[in-house]
Amino acid sequence: MPSKMQALQDEHAELFPHVGQLRTTAEKITGNNARLLRELIAPNVEFLADHLIIHAKAEDEVLYPAVEIAMKAPGATATMAREHIEVNTLTEELAALMNAIPASGPSTAQITDARRLLFGLYALVGSHFAKEEEVFVPALEAAFSQAEVDKLYAGMEAAAGRLRQPAEPAVV
């Protein structure tokens, strides 16, 4: 019998190869070629900023409140939401590092920092996904009907779509 949370599990399965790419990229970083280093890091920053962080924000907005209801435990998702903040912070650091690489080539410290950030993101996100799959998915499946789960996932998709839209300019 398929999981009630199959849509979320499918989304995680779609995201996870990109998470693995974080580790692969960290392992590939060698030498002092600025262009090559930027080309290695850029797709990872794009994935994190344009996909993973939006997924995380949709979880914070829609999924995590439902998990707390399912678990009858207000605040039960606080540590996971904190991990989302850390992923965002590390992504911003990685993007800043990538943009700060001089044309003459990265410093040894920049190479070390790039590898640290990529390996750190890989470990953090991998562990985070495992906790969601092993703790939150069973709690949601036990507490909610398929119709409720479908509505929850539709809410996540709507939130992600809204988050992908560029902000409207302020009217003055």
Side-chain angles (χ1 to χ4, degrees), residues 4-74:
K4 289 180 196 173
M5 296 297 298
Q6 194 62 51
L8 179 67
Q9 292 169 307
D10 290 347
E11 187 171 354
H12 282 177
E14 186 179 309
L15 294 170
F16 204 73
H18 297 280
V19 175
Q21 190 61 41
L22 297 166
R23 185 194 78 228
T24 302
T25 299
E27 292 168 346
K28 288 181 180 178
I29 294 175
T30 60
N32 63 353
N33 184 316
R35 184 187 55 78
L36 180 59
L37 185 55
R38 280 192 215 97
E39 287 175 4
L40 284 170
I41 294 173
N44 293 282
V45 170
E46 180 182 338
F47 159 70
L48 291 162
D50 296 345
H51 300 284
L52 189 69
I53 290 172
I54 288 171
H55 171 84
K57 288 178 179 179
E59 286 181 340
D60 288 340
E61 185 178 316
V62 179
L63 186 70
Y64 287 5
V67 169
E68 292 183 4
I69 290 167
M71 297 177 84
K72 297 178 174 74

Side-chain angles (χ1 to χ4, degrees), residues 149-161:
V149 167
D150 291 346
K151 185 176 178 183
L152 179 67
Y153 193 73
M156 278 189 59
E157 287 184 323

